[in-house]
Amino acid sequence: QEYDRLIDIVSRQGRPNVLLVGDPGVGKGTIVKHLVYEITKDKVPPQLFDKRVVELKVTDMLTGVEQTEIQSRVNRIVNEIVNAGNVILYIPEVHNLIKMSGKVGLNAADIFFPSFNSSAFSVIATTVPKEFKQMSEGQGQFIEVFETINVPDISDAEATKLLVYKSLMLERQFKITITFNAIKQAVSLS
């Protein structure tokens, strides 16, 4: 369901920005990786054909950078994305865009805001519920450019189904046997 909503949002013309909110390990990154895989196989709507998903590592972009350099870096990134014309920007842990930039005195989220708000390109961002709440209170306008998708933890039944599928692949690959009881125990212990 979350993946289907992501596809619908990223494919549209206006406000094609998504914020995936969920606890660590629930699969926010996996959803994005699945999108990348489906794009390579052309199993996406025509609007997403030939798109590239490019990851922006906020910590690498902002660590050790002086205040005057942040504006220049962000503008360079935005210009490259707009000129390419086929980039979906992926920002894991988008809350770092606000947190880290505060340390150097300039908020990079505010510099990105006009580009995100203009729908010049699609953005997929991820965060955790605690940080989402803090961003909503402090940077409400920034959050409003995204459509939020909550990514819940999977149920025991879903986890079992995934592990059964994975175990079949492992059994073929390594010529081993994985019992259903072992799968149920793995789900129970996790």
Side-chain angles (χ1 to χ4, degrees):
Q1 285 178 308
E2 292 82 11
Y3 175 75
D4 290 342
R5 281 193 59 211
L6 173 88
I7 290 292
D8 289 343
I9 296 165
V10 174
S11 298
R12 68 186 181 199
Q13 290 295 320
R15 289 189 59 210
N17 306 322
V18 177
L19 179 60
L20 300 172
V21 180
D23 291 321
V26 297
K28 300 180 298 285
T30 303
I31 291 171
V32 177
K33 286 177 186 173
H34 186 66
L35 170 63
V36 171
Y37 176 77
E38 294 290 287
I39 289 172
T40 63
K41 299 295 181 191
D42 286 336
K43 294 182 179 178
V44 290
Q47 302 90 318
L48 298 181
F49 280 9
D50 299 323
K51 291 283 186 179
R52 294 182 302 139
V53 178
V54 177
E55 181 177 345
L56 175 66
K57 295 187 178 182
V58 175
T59 51
D60 291 350
M61 182 184 81
L62 297 176
T63 302
V65 177
E66 293 187 26
Q67 184 171 345
T68 54
E69 179 65 17
I70 290 177
Q71 177 91 34
S72 149
R73 280 190 181 187
V74 169
N75 288 337
R76 215 169 33 243
I77 289 167
V78 167
N79 288 336
E80 283 183 32
I81 292 170
V82 170
N83 288 336
N86 68 340
V87 172
I88 297 171
L89 183 63
Y90 169 47
I91 309 174
E93 300 177 1
V94 72
H95 50 269
N96 287 333
L97 199 61
I98 296 165
K99 280 183 162 184
M100 290 190 67
S101 53
K103 292 179 185 173
V104 293
L106 186 62
N107 192 329
D110 290 337
I111 301 169
F112 272 113
F113 178 76
S115 302
F116 292 178
N117 198 32
S118 72
S119 303
F121 51 89
S122 298
V123 181
I124 301 172
T126 65
T127 191
V128 294
K130 177 184 172 190
E131 298 293 347
F132 176 71
K133 185 176 183 216
Q134 289 177 355
M135 285 192 309
S136 296
E137 293 166 358
Q139 292 283 329
Q141 187 179 22
F142 181 72
I143 294 297
E144 288 175 9
V145 300
F146 294 96
E147 184 154 336
T148 304
I149 299 175
N150 289 312
V151 182
D153 205 356
I154 63 173
S155 69
D156 287 357
E158 292 169 321
T160 302
K161 183 178 176 182
L162 286 171
L163 288 179
V164 165
Y165 175 73
K166 185 69 175 174
S167 70
L168 292 173
M169 293 184 337
L170 291 172
E171 285 179 342
R172 280 190 209 123
Q173 183 179 358
F174 295 107
K175 309 222 182 313
I176 59 171
T177 302
I178 301 172
T179 66
F180 188 67
N181 284 337
I183 292 170
K184 287 187 349 189
Q185 185 69 21
V187 170
S188 172
L189 291 172
S190 70

